[in-house]
Amino acid sequence: DSDRELKKDIRELDKTLDNILKLRPVKYNMLSRKEFFEATGNSSFSGLSTKNVSQIGLIAQEVQQIFPGIVSNIDSTYLGIKYTELVPILIKGLQEQQEKIEQLKARAETMENDFSTQSEHLKSGSIENTLLNQELNSAKLYTTNPTPIGRLINIRYE
């Protein structure tokens, strides 16, 4: 059911990276059927194993607040996540992240080029000479004033 011919109203996903970063992956132990029955008295829920199984995943209630479309009711009481629908969201987030990386790389290259150019100017003395000439053109030296003691002289300058 991934064929284009079977779809209509195809649209790009909105920006997803910020929402992906809100997801909280967790490790947890799934209740066994026995533990579930002891906690709830419900023996009709069949979505559990006979063993207490360690898993990695997300909490449906938390995901529902961020991506409500991929959370659904397993029965009238409990929620489940359609993990396969999370894959395109993660791909979109990865693409957004790559775009940011490319922008940062371009910015870093520009900064490196600017630094190299400035460094070459400094080595050749062109910036240094320009700054020195500007400083000399605006420099002022005023007449000296001996102090009352006579051993020191104040020289005013700009």
Side-chain angles (χ1 to χ4, degrees):
D1 61 24
S2 291
D3 193 293
R4 177 186 292 276
E5 299 300 318
L6 302 174
K7 299 173 181 162
K8 65 179 188 175
D9 301 329
I10 298 171
R11 300 174 304 284
E12 287 283 325
L13 285 178
D14 291 332
K15 299 278 185 198
T16 61
L17 184 58
D18 290 340
N19 284 333
I20 289 171
L21 295 174
K22 293 176 188 173
L23 293 175
R24 186 176 67 101
V26 294
K27 285 176 152 181
Y28 57 91
N29 290 329
M30 197 70 165
L31 293 174
S32 67
R33 281 189 198 140
K34 180 181 176 192
E35 290 170 321
F36 179 75
F37 175 72
E38 289 171 356
T40 65
N42 183 346
S43 61
S44 64
F45 185 67
S46 61
L48 297 170
S49 169
T50 55
K51 298 178 185 171
N52 182 323
V53 181
S54 179
Q55 295 188 4
I56 296 174
L58 302 165
I59 306 298
Q61 289 82 349
E62 294 174 7
V63 174
Q64 190 175 39
Q65 294 174 6
I66 302 165
F67 296 112
I70 66 170
V71 176
S72 62
N73 288 352
I74 296 173
D75 63 13
S76 60
T77 310
Y78 303 104
L79 298 175
I81 298 171
K82 299 179 231 169
Y83 280 98
T84 55
E85 291 191 26
L86 188 58
V87 172
I89 293 169
L90 296 174
I91 291 170
K92 177 67 174 176
L94 183 64
Q95 291 169 340
E96 290 173 29
Q97 191 173 49
Q98 188 61 37
E99 186 178 313
K100 287 182 179 186
I101 289 169
E102 295 302 324
Q103 290 169 353
L104 289 171
K105 280 171 57 177
R107 187 172 168 198
E109 286 173 10
T110 301
M111 292 171 73
E112 283 175 2
N113 291 338
D114 290 348
F115 179 76
S116 293
T117 302
Q118 290 175 359
S119 181
E120 286 303 314
H121 285 306
L122 283 174
K123 284 179 187 171
S124 67
S126 61
I127 288 179
E128 196 171 273
N129 288 339
T130 303
L131 291 174
L132 184 59
N133 286 336
Q134 288 173 353
E135 288 174 12
L136 289 176
N137 289 336
S138 63
K140 294 181 182 174
L141 184 60
Y142 297 96
T143 57
T144 59
N145 297 319
T147 60
I149 300 172
R151 296 173 63 191
L152 298 175
I153 298 175
N154 287 330
I155 302 174
R156 247 184 65 212
Y157 65 92
E158 285 182 24

